Amino acid sequence: VIAFDAQGEFFAAADESGKVAIFPFRPPDYPKEAQAIIEKPGLLGSRPLALAFDPERRWLAGIRGTDLIVWNLQSAWYERHLEASVGDASGLTASLAFDPSGNLLGVGTANGWQIWNVQDKQLVAEGTGVEVYAVAFSPDGRLFTWGDSSGNVHILGIQEK
C-alpha cells in the first residue's frame, strides 16, 4: 500500500510484514533507502489496506485488518497518536481521507464509515451496516462522501467549528 503526501515530496509504503516506511520522492531517481521507518516488521498484524497523509504532513494514517493507527509525524519517534478499532469484521477494502485542514479523518471499511477528530482522538460520526469502498472530503471540507458496496454514493454535510 502506498500514499503520497500533498506536496509530492514523500510517499509512505506498507508491506505485508508490518513495516511502514516513508521515502523521499525525487524523480527520476527511485529511493533505495527509507527516510524513516514508522513501524518495524512484525508489530502489526494483517496485511495493510490503506495509508494517507494529512495535507500538512503532520499525520500518517493506516488501516490493517480492523485497526486504525495514526502516527504523529512531528514527534521524534513517530509515536502512535491514535489507535482505534474500525469494526469487528476485516474486509478486503479500506479507504482513508483527511479533510483539507488535516483535523478530520474519514475511514471506510467492510464495517461502514467513520469520521475521527485526529487531534482530540474522538470519533465524531459513523455509519455501519454496509461495506464502504471509498471516502473523500470536498475541497472546502464541508462535505464528506462515501461509496458503498451497493454502488450508492452518500454525502454528509460537515458542520463548521
Side-chain angles (χ1 to χ4, degrees):
V1 175
I2 296 176
F4 276 92
D5 73 327
Q7 295 79 20
E9 297 173 355
F10 296 93
F11 67 90
D15 64 23
E16 290 191 20
S17 75
K19 179 179 173 183
V20 179
I22 296 179
F23 296 86
F25 183 66
R26 294 181 180 78
D29 298 326
Y30 182 78
K32 295 171 182 59
E33 301 280 330
Q35 177 171 316
I37 305 296
I38 305 299
E39 286 285 345
K40 294 179 181 172
L43 294 179
L44 297 173
S46 302
R47 71 177 207 281
L49 297 173
L51 288 171
F53 284 98
D54 80 290
E56 301 295 320
R57 208 170 45 226
R58 295 171 295 169
W59 314 109
L60 176 64
I63 294 179
R64 284 188 169 270
T66 60
D67 298 320
L68 169 66
I69 302 163
V70 178
W71 294 276
N72 180 350
L73 299 180
Q74 304 300 307
S75 70
W77 305 105
Y78 306 109
E79 67 193 29
R80 290 181 180 193
H81 174 73
L82 169 64
E83 295 180 65
S85 173
V86 291
D88 56 4
S90 180
L92 298 176
T93 63
S95 58
L96 296 166
F98 280 95
D99 79 331
S101 73
N103 295 326
L104 297 178
L105 172 64
V107 178
T109 67
N111 298 288
W113 60 270
Q114 297 176 336
I115 300 174
W116 288 86
N117 179 314
V118 176
Q119 185 67 42
D120 296 340
K121 304 179 189 178
Q122 297 292 316
L123 179 64
V124 295
E126 71 178 321
T128 60
V130 64
E131 188 170 10
V132 172
Y133 289 156
V135 295
F137 284 92
S138 62
D140 65 5
R142 292 182 181 188
L143 300 174
F144 175 69
T145 63
W146 66 96
D148 67 30
S149 57
S150 300
N152 297 316
V153 175
H154 306 268
I155 300 173
L156 177 70
I158 303 292
Q159 257 186 330
E160 290 190 43
K161 297 174 191 154

